Amino acid sequence: MATLDEIKISAKNNMSICKMCKTCNGETCRGWTPGPGGKGSGSSFVRNVAMLKQVTLNMKVLREDTEVDSCFDFFGTELSAPIMAAPIANVKINYGSSVDEMSYLNALGYGCKQAGLFAFLGDGANREAFEMPLNLHKELSEHTVMTIKPWLLEQVFEKISEVKTCSPKAIAMDVDAAGLILLKQMGVPVAYKTVEDLKKIKEFANVPFIVKGVMTIDDAKVAIDAGAAAIVVSNHGGRVLDDCESTIEVLEEISSFVNKRLKVYVDGGFRSGADVFKALALGADAVLIGRPFSHMAIGGLQEGVALYANKMINDFKECMRMTGCITLADIRRNCVNIHF
Ligand SMILES: Cc1cc2nc3c(=O)[nH]c(=O)nc-3n(C[C@H](O)[C@H](O)[C@H](O)COP(=O)(O)O)c2cc1C
């Protein structure tokens, strides 16, 4: 069985665009969109990773020797930890991947399932880019969520009708994709969404609706008013707006405002179990991880994804142990310090 380091080498060999840096922090790929990088100067991707390092953990070990429980409920499915794979589409265009899109998607979905985690699946400009994740979702609706782009409403309803035939646990929409360069270049119509639009989509979906791409209290309020079940605090990995705040900087005020009225997930630059722990301490219910999961799928297929997922789960549990947190509910604001 390959090691994580071997899988990383294989990922590097299997990608002609992404350089598979030691730490995936957006420095090398600044402005590479399409590509794996952040938009414009690339500062939003870089900031996502950098600001997470400005949050530190408080060690607390004088306690009873009880094993920790990291189990997390995702709309009725019990996961091993509050960690999920973020939707990443078009690995050929964005990474120059020699692994084809369907093999990549299968690796992500089945690898996450093997480790007891959930994977979000993306959507794209052409029929194939929607059909491939949908085919996987048909087989794995217990462990995947479809993330529909904010197309014009008629197209949104058409796609959601197809997703509904898979008995989905939830349906997501990356509302920030209106800023994506690739879609603009391809000339396909995506549109900003109002509270009324989101209400219609949520009602049509008739399952928990997740709004991905919330970076302000104002947008969180719109998601609440629309009846969403969850938001993902996300700037699309820095790919939709240059010089954007990092997600960890806005997380605490958004989760305080939300005050449990819906679930709060977050993504952008999370690279370790400690990073996941920081998000939970600042009010998130779970964390999505993007680029590292896709590297592991491209480098090691299902086995690579499962190996990486298990490493993240174990790292996260180790942080719980070392901070005296026995359950997820014990991970509170006083477990961390913010230095920004
Ligand atoms: C190459 C690439 C493709 C992406 N495709 C999608 C997509 O189809 N749908 C979506 O909601 N987000 C997409 N994202 C954004 C991710 O879901 C996620 O928000 C982001 O990558 C998280 O940051 P991280 O990669 O630093 O962990 C994409 C990101 C990258 C890098």
Side-chain angles (χ1 to χ4, degrees):
M1 191 158 129
T3 64
L4 270 180
D5 283 341
E6 286 164 350
I7 293 168
K8 283 181 188 166
I9 292 169
S10 151
K12 190 174 176 138
N13 293 334
N14 291 348
M15 297 187 292
S16 62
I17 303 174
C18 176
K19 299 302 169 211
M20 190 68 216
C21 304
K22 196 160 186 277
T23 304
C24 177
N25 61 8
E27 282 291 356
T28 303
C29 56
R30 278 177 182 271
W32 296 3
T33 47
K39 190 174 186 174
S41 72
S43 70
S44 306
F45 177 8
V46 172
R47 192 176 182 93
N48 278 344
V49 179
M51 295 314 276
L52 268 160
K53 295 295 152 215
Q54 304 294 318
V55 182
T56 54
L57 272 50
N58 293 325
M59 198 168 96
K60 183 166 170 280
V61 290
L62 296 177
R63 61 171 179 91
E64 284 200 24
D65 202 355
T66 323
E67 188 39 272
V68 302
D69 175 7
S70 65
C71 286
F72 162 69
D73 174 76
F74 184 77
F75 299 115
T77 302
E78 190 179 90
L79 307 183
S80 313
I83 299 172
M84 298 184 270
I88 293 221
N90 290 316
V91 291
K92 273 226 177 299
I93 299 173
N94 287 310
Y95 291 112
S97 162
S98 62
V99 170
D100 66 84
E101 196 80 20
M102 199 62 232
S103 307
Y104 155 78
L105 285 165
N106 280 328
L108 194 75
Y110 282 97
C112 280
K113 181 179 179 208
Q114 192 179 322
L117 299 186
F118 225 90
F120 282 67
L121 307 175
D123 177 19
N126 52 41
R127 177 71 200 165
E128 227 193 347
F130 170 67
E131 234 166 44
M132 284 189 288
L134 187 70
N135 285 339
L136 174 64
H137 190 52
K138 276 185 191 140
E139 294 169 20
L140 269 190
S141 65
E142 286 289 311
H143 277 270
T144 53
V145 182
M146 287 292 286
T147 312
I148 306 297
K149 294 252 169 289
W151 313 114
L152 305 179
L153 279 185
E154 200 181 320
Q155 291 154 298
V156 168
F157 294 145
E158 277 169 24
K159 288 199 170 183
I160 290 184
S161 300
E162 293 190 62
V163 176
K164 278 165 76 173
T165 63
C166 307
S167 315
K169 288 261 156 204
I171 295 179
M173 174 170 282
D174 49 332
V175 290
D176 54 355
L180 272 181
I181 289 175
L182 186 60
L183 293 181
K184 281 190 183 141
Q185 283 179 352
M186 293 172 111
V188 283
V190 276
Y192 297 98
K193 295 283 175 269
T194 64
V195 66
E196 292 307 325
D197 294 333
L198 292 182
K199 267 186 199 164
K200 285 181 196 152
I201 297 167
K202 182 245 157 194
E203 268 156 36
F204 189 78
N206 203 22
V207 288
F209 179 51
I210 303 170
V211 178
K212 177 172 180 283
V214 169
M215 286 295 289
T216 56
I217 285 176
D218 287 350
D219 277 3
K221 183 173 185 313
V222 171
I224 292 168
D225 290 347
I231 53 172
V232 185
V233 173
S234 172
N235 55 23
H236 221 98
R239 292 167 69 77
V240 289
L241 177 68
D242 203 358
D243 289 333
C244 190
E245 286 277 272
S246 71
T247 52
I248 198 71
E249 283 172 293
V250 298
L251 175 63
E252 189 176 18
E253 67 169 17
I254 292 178
S255 35
S256 301
F257 169 77
V258 165
N259 197 16
K260 312 260 178 243
R261 284 177 285 177
L262 42 65
K263 299 286 179 199
V264 177
Y265 310 139
V266 61
D267 74 16
F270 291 82
R271 299 292 177 260
S272 64
D275 287 346
V276 174
F277 184 94
K278 293 169 194 178
L280 266 68
L282 297 181
D285 294 287
V287 171
L288 279 64
I289 298 175
R291 296 167 179 95
F293 262 114
S294 51
H295 296 152
M296 293 299 116
I298 292 168
L301 297 176
Q302 177 179 341
E303 184 197 326
V305 170
L307 198 68
Y308 171 74
N310 280 318
K311 183 196 177 306
M312 290 299 294
I313 296 165
N314 290 334
D315 279 1
F316 172 66
K317 287 172 91 168
E318 182 63 1
C319 288
M320 289 180 70
R321 277 184 209 106
M322 289 301 292
T323 52
C325 296
I326 306 304
T327 68
L328 298 183
D330 297 328
I331 307 176
R332 299 203 188 95
R333 179 64 179 83
N334 62 0
C335 297
V336 297
N337 312 291
I338 297 180
H339 301 278
F340 51 72

